Amino acid sequence: MAVKKSQLYSSLWASCDKLRGGMDASQYKDYILTLLFIKYVSDKYKDDPYGAIAIPKGASFEDLVALKGDKNIGEKIDILIAKLAEANNLTGIIDNAHFNDEAKIGKGDEMVDKLTDLIAIFQKPDLNFKNNRAADDDLIGDAYEYLMKNFATASGKSKGQFYTPAEVSRILATVINISKCKNRKATIYDPACGSGSLLIRAANEAPFPLAIYGQEKDISTAGLAKMNLVLHNKASGEIFADSTFSNPGYKDDNDDTKLRKFDYIVANPPFSMKNWMDGLKEYGRFDDYDEMPPEKNGDYAWLLHIIKSMKNNTGKAAVILPHGVLFRGNAEESIRKNIIDRHLIKGIIGLPANLFYGTGIPACIIVLDKENTANRSGIFMIDASHGFIKDGDKNRLREQDIYKIVTIFNSMTEVSGFSRFVPFAEIIEKNAYNLNIPRYIDSSEKEDLQSIEAHLYGGIPQEDIDNIPHFWNLFPNLKKQMFGEYSKGFYKLLINKDDIHKTICENAEFLKYNKKVNEEFEEWKKFANPILTNLKSTDSNKQVILKLSEEIISKFAKFELLDKYDVYQVLLAYWNEIMNDDVLLIIYDELGYALAKDTYEIKEEPKETKKKKKSSKKEEKPKEPKVIGWEGRLIPKQVVLDTFFINEQKEIQDEETILRQTESELEEFVETNSDDEGYLRDYIKADGKMEQKKITSRISILKKEKKTNKEEYIILSKYSEYDKAVKAQDKKITGLKKSLDENCRKRYDTFTDEEIKNLLVNRKWYKAIQDGIQNLYITVANHLTKRIAELCERYENTLPELTLQLEKQEEIVFEHLNTMGFRI
């Protein structure tokens, strides 16, 4: 059965918990990823004589499992990995994590237990890749990417450089137009490839497999990159482990004093590298320039290495560098002039600050293109520095930010405050080769100027109201309803300030426009229905979302109030979180849509118990995790409840209302009768609970006594009645819930094909997306309300009025001071 990515991810990340404590994330990533690699290649290639990876006898994951509990488990794992590495010419690549390292793993039983538990996690059925039907192995490759991102986050600022955020990688991969490649012999190269994520994402954009080359100085990180290639079904890709400047791994086949040239290059080199000249061998990198890059800053050294490695007349590249390369002087200025004069720069994209794990400084993407340089008349620039979302202590590009950047860049569309084609004449003559983006694009927010006249005499400046974007062209009657003339050039609010939001939302024009939004969504659904109700094993999830997203952008492009990129974000955010998993399950599981009949149990891990000393007695089997609930694999339980069990849910809600009322009465009764003279005070325990047994016993005694204290008997009996009523009601509700739960689960078995598609497509997918778009529309009303209220409050009191109020307050203060004996 297919597994959801989210389930796979959580299992893998849980494995990391076994290693925490003895090492940090920058170290334990090597162990986790090595085990993932062994598990994957064993499942995929064992007993396959033509597999991309050879699995020698004694070096499979099953052989790892056989080592569980072995007192020499660490040493034997190292031997097993060395055998696998040797058989595939991967020595020094996949055997960098030493499982027999007592300083990191622990000694004796600690090492045995830790490694045994670690192997057990990778034994889970969820991690069985033997029957993986995905043509491009996205599941395992994306799982690797997920782990790399988490390792980079956990490693901290100084150790996360091995990973380029996937969102940035996607931009680089797209802006070099690798998707339009027609040369089946084309090559792609990354001279600072880290874990290989950027290189792989770029290669995935090509319409057919490319020859892949990467270089990484750090040996263990180079090993991660090689494993990453294998896990992404690109085992033929080459990774060279050494310094790019002192020993470049790829030289010209006919002249080893020159660098090899590539069709496509992507790179995210370390920023402002200070030791780049250590052992430097030039290989002609600097032949075309009057000056060398600065000795203590390697930014331009990387740029010139990339330019020299691009194929003449056709090579294309995209490199991430700090903003300083755009405007710094001295030697860098001289080199920059040379590059600009040769028309090598096609575009520059300014990115938000704090995107990368190794640094918080803002960076840019420089897009280089040696094709058609003679006809290039300028540089296309984008300022995307304001489009991001906070993600923990880092910033992250949203789906809408990525889409906006790549579509506008590739179409060279000019958007005010965001993008512009800048002629070389303006760069050279007006700005002396300075490429700092703010010189060419003003993306700053306009200052909110205030009116002195309005502060003096009252009213709201017409200009402030009239300049609220788009609204009044669409809703002219709403404007008339809300504003009247105060004086020439100034408005007054005709309604109560507290009624602004209500007036907007109930306005006929506003409601009519919302109806148009819903109608457009219905049109999009007509396009999406044939795709989402006929998913097949031959379909590609990537093509599905590409079609759906392009259509939703097209449908909402004409709406002035709803930003089409915001609508795109609603769809893509839901796709990434939920829908992609669902589509993959339908495509890759043999049951297809029928998988919706299946449910899975939510289990709670058993609590850890102290280990008992070893004895000759037979050890007890570990306890199974406790089942705490269940969910539908494709269709959530709540969707089924809301569709088929509305009355039953209503009955439970009504009974819960009765229970809350009875509990409230009981609480009030206890409070009334538990003061110093109350009959219930002696039955309240330290934790606030009542001692019911003592109360029952006292009632029995009072019944038998000849001189019954009637008041005490009545109070205790009344409490007992309340308590019984609460318990009876609670039991009733528990029974109703249990019955509903059982009936709901049984209902899954009876789903027809039509019901499945209705529940999944209409009631789950479409409803979530439509709710998201409706929230955007509600936000429009909120923004308009906020701006109008802000302007009203700004000019609510004129300066003379405020001065008069101040004078009155001063008089009151002086009177108080005089009364107190002070003379002012």
Side-chain angles (χ1 to χ4, degrees), residues 433-460:
Y433 292 91
N434 188 315
L435 294 174
N436 199 18
I437 296 173
R439 285 177 174 249
Y440 307 99
I441 300 173
D442 182 6
S443 62
S444 60
E445 292 186 9
K446 291 183 178 180
E447 188 178 356
D448 190 10
L449 300 175
Q450 299 196 28
S451 168
I452 296 176
E453 189 175 349
H455 279 303
L456 287 172
Y457 306 116
I460 305 169

Side-chain angles (χ1 to χ4, degrees), residues 239-265:
I239 302 294
F240 189 81
D242 209 333
S243 168
T244 301
F245 292 112
S246 63
N247 186 21
Y250 306 105
K251 305 178 185 71
D252 191 297
D253 291 337
N254 300 317
D255 185 351
D256 62 5
T257 65
K258 296 180 179 179
L259 298 174
R260 186 186 300 184
K261 295 184 181 293
F262 300 91
D263 295 281
Y264 300 97
I265 302 176

Side-chain angles (χ1 to χ4, degrees), residues 145-352:
E145 288 292 303
Y146 165 82
L147 286 172
M148 292 304 298
K149 178 181 177 181
N150 279 276
F151 290 138
T153 303
S155 294
K157 185 175 179 180
S158 63
K159 299 174 182 177
Q161 299 97 323
F162 56 80
Y163 179 74
T164 301
E167 298 83 16
V168 182
S169 297
R170 286 163 58 191
I171 294 174
L172 270 73
T174 307
V175 296
I176 57 175
N177 280 325
I178 199 169
S179 62
K180 297 180 180 178
C181 178
K182 296 179 180 178
N183 178 14
R184 289 188 170 273
K185 295 182 179 180
T187 55
I188 184 166
Y189 167 59
D190 184 344
C193 69
S195 63
S197 59
L198 171 56
L199 185 57
I200 290 167
R201 284 194 178 276
N204 281 340
E205 289 293 315
F208 40 75
L210 302 184
I212 298 173
Y213 302 89
Q215 181 152 354
E216 169 55 42
K217 183 178 182 179
D218 184 82
I219 293 175
S220 64
T221 305
L224 297 179
K226 183 60 183 178
M227 287 191 284
N228 201 357
L229 286 170
V230 173
L231 296 176
H232 278 87
N233 208 24
K234 301 181 188 302
S236 60
E238 295 183 20
I239 302 294
F240 189 81
D242 209 333
S243 168
T244 301
F245 292 112
S246 63
N247 186 21
Y250 306 105
K251 305 178 185 71
D252 191 297
D253 291 337
N254 300 317
D255 185 351
D256 62 5
T257 65
K258 296 180 179 179
L259 298 174
R260 186 186 300 184
K261 295 184 181 293
F262 300 91
D263 295 281
Y264 300 97
I265 302 176
V266 289
N268 178 20
F271 290 176
S272 305
M273 186 175 171
K274 298 186 183 306
N275 60 345
W276 71 274
M277 278 191 167
D278 292 353
L280 174 67
K281 295 181 179 62
E282 294 195 12
Y283 288 95
R285 295 182 182 97
F286 316 115
D287 291 350
D288 301 322
Y289 309 90
D290 295 332
E291 297 190 57
M292 289 277 288
E295 182 180 353
K296 298 297 184 182
N297 190 321
D299 293 335
Y300 268 91
W302 285 107
L303 188 60
L304 299 190
H305 173 83
I306 289 167
I307 290 173
K308 183 59 72 171
S309 300
M310 295 167 64
K311 279 191 176 178
N312 297 332
N313 304 319
T314 60
K316 294 170 174 45
V319 56
I320 302 168
L321 291 170
H323 269 282
V325 300
L326 302 177
F327 54 80
R328 290 195 296 249
N330 302 317
E332 292 186 322
E333 181 179 11
S334 173
I335 297 170
R336 187 169 60 249
K337 287 180 178 180
N338 182 308
I339 295 171
I340 293 171
D341 285 338
R342 290 159 63 195
H343 297 184
L344 294 177
I345 301 177
K346 179 181 180 181
I348 300 170
I349 301 167
L351 298 172

Side-chain angles (χ1 to χ4, degrees), residues 84-100:
L84 181 64
E86 185 178 355
N88 293 280
N89 197 27
L90 294 174
T91 301
I93 301 293
I94 66 167
D95 53 357
N96 294 310
H98 301 295
F99 287 80
N100 200 36

Side-chain angles (χ1 to χ4, degrees), residues 665-673 680 715 718-719 722:
E665 291 176 9
L666 173 58
E667 186 178 341
E668 184 179 351
F669 182 78
V670 170
E671 188 176 341
T672 304
N673 294 280
L680 295 178
I715 296 296
K718 184 68 173 175
Y719 171 81
Y722 269 126

Side-chain angles (χ1 to χ4, degrees), residues 61-78:
F61 181 75
E62 287 77 7
D63 298 305
L64 267 185
V65 173
L67 297 178
K68 288 167 62 178
D70 192 299
K71 65 179 181 179
N72 297 316
I73 186 171
E75 178 184 357
K76 291 182 178 180
I77 289 176
D78 285 344

Side-chain angles (χ1 to χ4, degrees), residues 350-395:
L351 298 172
N354 202 28
L355 284 182
F356 301 97
Y357 295 100
T359 179
I361 66 173
C364 63
I365 299 171
I366 298 181
V367 184
L368 303 161
D369 194 343
K370 287 187 176 180
E371 186 175 7
N372 204 29
T373 55
N375 296 321
R376 189 166 293 138
S377 58
I379 297 174
F380 190 75
M381 295 188 182
I382 288 179
D383 184 352
S385 60
H386 301 293
F388 62 89
I389 190 172
K390 291 294 294 181
D391 186 7
D393 60 352
K394 305 301 292 182
N395 294 332

